[in-house]
Amino acid sequence: MARSSSGIVAGLTAAAVAAVAFLAYQASASAPSPAQLAEPAVGKTPAAHASQPPKGPAVVKDVLAVPAQSGTGTRVVYSLAERRVWLVNGKGKATRTFKVVPSTVSPPPGTYAVGSRSGIITGSDGVQVEHVVRFLTFEGVPIGFSAAVDGSMPSPDPKSRTGGVRMLRADGDAMWSFATVGVKVVVVP
């Protein structure tokens, strides 16, 4: 009787090992590959059904790529939708790009020029700012780039009418050096 019990146990063990191996195979067949795990999720949308295969590799946007239709030559490009600024040299290459916090009054898309600059002032929101580079007055509100002296980048109060497009202090330093009076500022949607 001992032999038949051990035979049953051996048979059950073999069946259990086979079942575990089969389930492991199924799990590995549906798991993402290491390459898929390494892909950034930029531009991916969730699948409608979990059983649908992925649509291919995600496209990673080159943040240094200057937006199309932003003109030529030395210029500052400000994208309203991307909340990003590019400092573009005379060869059409971005020398720097950075995120910004937009003002409550947005400039309409178009081409402008730096009209005035101020070293340190108090912004329309009461915050002390530096490296102010103004390029437009729209609906009675001066619009320009600046950096808060305290390094903060809070979203402006939506109830107030402000024209300060805020950036980090290091980006403000770069803007100050780059955007002298007369330099083009191109605002794109």
Side-chain angles (χ1 to χ4, degrees), residues 69-165:
Q69 309 301 318
S70 67
T72 60
T74 301
R75 64 200 183 278
V76 175
V77 178
Y78 172 32
S79 170
L80 299 170
E82 293 187 43
R83 297 178 172 204
R84 179 172 288 280
V85 167
W86 291 261
L87 305 180
V88 183
N89 67 19
K91 296 178 182 177
K93 301 291 182 191
T95 59
R96 187 180 186 108
T97 184
F98 46 89
K99 289 295 234 177
V100 296
V101 175
S103 55
T104 60
V105 177
S106 292
T111 301
Y112 309 96
V114 174
S116 67
R117 297 167 17 122
S118 298
I120 295 180
I121 64 167
T122 300
S124 56
D125 58 358
V127 174
Q128 189 174 22
V129 294
E130 65 183 358
H131 298 147
V132 180
V133 176
R134 292 179 211 84
F135 61 92
L136 172 70
T137 297
F138 181 66
E139 297 178 350
V141 177
I143 299 185
F145 303 105
S146 63
V149 172
D150 68 5
S152 65
M153 285 183 49
S155 294
D157 179 356
K159 296 175 189 166
S160 64
R161 294 178 46 79
T162 62
V165 179

Side-chain angles (χ1 to χ4, degrees), residues 14-32:
V17 168
V20 168
F22 177 73
L23 291 174
Y25 169 76
Q26 278 188 322
S28 69
S30 64

